[in-house]
């Protein structure tokens, strides 16, 4: 950084003095007294100046925000919890030596070894059953599915073994396990690898279902899920793994957690409430930015948790805006948006609505493989803008 030249005005211009090395050997007594007085004044002035500087409140710029990808946030969360609690371990296909199919577990095998980062055969039913049994025995497993589409191979273990055991044991047997992996549509992987399981698992009592959006969500919610005594389905999104987000100073702490079951208002607004989760929070914020230029202020709510659903936050917002739009990537029938519509209709916020609730969802078909058909099968920003305007009748 270059600095401009600054002219300094001195009370005594030393640059014009005679040779500073030539010092008289003797000063008269009067001169010595004057010098002593001057020295005391100089020291006193300097001391006062330092005190003034210490008292003065300087403007300090905020430290540069740390950016972290969702992938690294998940990795950091698991690393911190593995270090914090020796009962925690990770198992799944290619999570160890290969560092995970999406590199979410990068470096953990080298740090914690074969006993705690465990590669499994390609048998979801088998290794999920092992993980659930380990949870019943007092450990805290993280069971990774390479994609949640493969969790259907193990859905008996997830629902019948993990979700129902606490109830069937009259509260005597907890099952502290996290099922995590990418969920929903990715890109170019067609019908069998593009389903959103938010509504599937949220339908089942006994499970908690979490759907993070950004890096803070990913870290804080995963740490809470690992510490929870209930089975938690943790739905990530493959397309969000490499996206960087700013991390607050608070979120960089090893003690940082986000409570499960609490939504977050990502953008304040007073014309319409837009409720969404996972990747579509980004879509809704982009749509809200476009609509703001037209004078429409959207309040965007990031659900974070699908079950238990934070109905209170939704109702509070709807009572303020009097309009509601839900956005999700899953199919429309019996989906997350459908549940939100029902809960709002059954609660006090219904009387505040000035128009019917509008849902923006994936199209009710298996996912096509062709790129252009895939784009038409998923909610786009233009679809959200259209739905908001339709709801507001503008």
């Amino acid at each position: 950084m270059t600095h401009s030249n600054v002219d300094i005005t001195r009370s005594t211009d030393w640059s014009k003095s005679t040779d500073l090395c030539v010092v008289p050997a003797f000063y008269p007594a009067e001169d010595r007294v004057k010098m002593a007085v001057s020295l005391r004044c100089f020291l006193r002035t300097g001391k006062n100046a330092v005190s003034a500087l210490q008292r003065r409140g300087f403007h300090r710029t905020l430290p540069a925000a740390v950016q972290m990808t969702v992938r690294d946030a998940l990795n950091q969360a698991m690393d911190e919890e593995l270090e914090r609690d020796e009962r925690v371990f990770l198992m799944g296909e290619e999570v160890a030596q290969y560092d995970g199919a999406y590199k979410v577990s990068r470096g953990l095998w080298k740090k914690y070894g074969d006993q705690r980062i465990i590669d499994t055969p390609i048998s979801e039913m088998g290794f999920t059953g092992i993980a659930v049994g380990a949870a019943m025995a007092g450990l805290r497993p993280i069971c990774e599915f390479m994609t949640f589409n493969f969790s259907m191979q193990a859905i008996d273990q997830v629902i019948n073994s993990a979700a129902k055991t606490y109830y069937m044991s009259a509260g005597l047997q907890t099952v502290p396990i996290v099922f995590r992996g990418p969920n929903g549509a990715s890109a170019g992987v067609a019908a069998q690898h593009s389903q959103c399981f938010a509504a599937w698992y949220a339908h089942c009592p006994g499970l908690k279902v979490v759907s993070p959006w950004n890096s803070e969500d990913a870290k804080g919610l995963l740490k809470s899920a690992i510490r929870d005594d209930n089975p938690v389905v943790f739905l990530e999104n493959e397309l969000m793994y490499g996206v960087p987000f700013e991390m607050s100073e608070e979120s960089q702490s090893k003690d940082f957690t986000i409570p499960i079951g609490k939504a977050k208002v990502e953008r304040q607004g007073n014309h319409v409430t837009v409720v969404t989760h996972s990747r579509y929070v980004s879509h809704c914020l982009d749509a809200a930015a476009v609509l703001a230029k037209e004078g429409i202020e959207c309040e965007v709510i990031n659900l974070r948790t699908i079950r238990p659903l934070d109905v209170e936050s939704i109702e509070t917002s709807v009572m303020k805006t009097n309009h509601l739009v839900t956005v999700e990537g899953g199919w429309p029938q019996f989906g997350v948006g459908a549940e939100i519509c029902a809960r709002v209709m059954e609660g006090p916020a219904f009387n505040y609505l000035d128009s019917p609730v509008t849902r923006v969802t994936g199209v009710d078909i298996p996912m096509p493989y062709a790129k252009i058909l895939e784009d038409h099968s998923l909610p786009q920003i233009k679809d959200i803008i259209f739905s908001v305007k339709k709801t507001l009748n503008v």
Side-chain angles (χ1 to χ4, degrees), residues 3-310:
H3 297 275
S4 59
N5 294 327
V6 180
D7 293 330
I8 301 176
T9 304
R10 302 177 177 85
S11 57
T12 305
D13 194 346
W14 292 98
S15 62
K16 296 180 181 179
S17 65
T18 56
D19 189 354
L20 297 179
C21 295
V22 180
V23 181
F26 175 76
Y27 290 102
E30 184 178 354
D31 290 344
R32 292 200 299 272
V33 171
K34 289 180 179 179
M35 288 179 65
V37 172
S38 298
L39 182 61
R40 282 197 298 272
C41 289
F42 173 77
L43 292 173
R44 189 181 302 117
T45 303
K47 184 178 179 181
N48 291 338
V50 171
S51 299
L53 287 172
Q54 290 174 341
R55 290 194 303 270
R56 180 179 174 184
F58 285 100
H59 172 72
R60 295 182 178 181
T61 57
L62 294 173
V66 174
Q67 286 212 333
M68 183 180 292
T69 64
V70 173
R71 174 187 290 107
D72 290 339
L74 293 166
N75 180 279
Q76 188 177 90
M78 289 193 291
D79 186 13
E80 290 175 1
E81 293 305 301
L82 283 159
E83 183 179 295
R84 173 181 170 272
D85 189 343
E86 63 182 10
R87 296 173 298 171
V88 177
F89 69 96
L90 171 67
M91 68 186 307
E93 296 158 355
E94 298 182 345
V95 299
Q97 298 186 42
Y98 190 66
D99 283 338
Y102 301 99
K103 306 306 175 188
V104 174
S105 55
R106 181 189 289 122
L108 298 181
W109 175 66
K110 291 181 179 178
K111 183 173 181 179
Y112 296 102
D114 292 323
Q115 297 296 313
R116 301 185 67 192
I117 311 297
I118 304 169
D119 276 330
T120 67
I122 303 175
S123 174
E124 283 77 15
M125 173 64 84
F127 70 72
T128 304
I130 292 171
V132 172
M136 292 179 178
L139 300 179
R140 291 185 171 270
I142 306 167
C143 178
E144 177 180 310
F145 296 119
M146 192 179 292
T147 160
F148 258 95
N149 298 277
F150 300 156
S151 73
M152 285 194 292
Q153 303 289 331
I155 201 163
D156 179 60
Q157 302 286 7
V158 176
I159 303 299
N160 283 327
S161 297
K164 298 178 182 177
T165 295
Y166 185 70
Y167 171 80
M168 294 177 71
S169 67
L172 296 177
Q173 178 65 65
T174 58
V175 188
I177 185 172
V178 177
F179 303 103
R180 54 155 294 270
N183 169 70
S186 177
V189 291
Q192 294 176 329
H193 297 79
S194 299
Q195 292 155 236
C196 176
F197 286 85
W200 289 56
Y201 287 115
H203 184 65
C204 180
L207 290 176
K208 293 185 178 182
V209 182
V210 176
S211 182
W213 166 53
N214 62 12
S215 300
E216 282 196 12
D217 287 357
K219 180 181 178 181
L221 288 169
L222 183 53
K223 288 170 72 73
S224 291
I226 294 169
R227 298 181 187 188
D228 202 293
D229 286 335
N230 300 282
V232 180
V233 173
F234 196 89
L235 304 172
E236 301 154 13
N237 188 282
E238 180 186 338
L239 297 178
M240 297 303 296
Y241 280 148
V243 180
F245 291 92
E246 290 187 358
M247 296 280 283
S248 65
E249 186 175 349
E250 177 192 9
S251 68
Q252 297 170 47
S253 166
K254 289 187 176 182
D255 297 322
F256 174 72
T257 58
I258 292 174
I260 293 174
K262 187 63 181 172
K264 180 185 178 184
V265 177
E266 298 288 352
R267 179 188 176 108
Q268 296 283 347
N270 52 17
H271 292 141
V272 59
T273 299
V274 182
V275 182
T276 184
H277 67 98
S278 189
R279 174 178 173 233
Y280 291 97
V281 177
S282 297
H283 284 51
C284 291
L285 290 173
D286 290 342
V290 173
L291 289 163
K293 296 176 182 178
E294 302 179 28
I296 300 172
E297 293 297 333
C298 302
E299 181 147 294
V300 179
I301 296 180
N302 172 13
L303 283 176
R304 285 180 166 175
T305 305
I306 311 301
R307 184 185 183 108
L309 189 66
D310 187 0

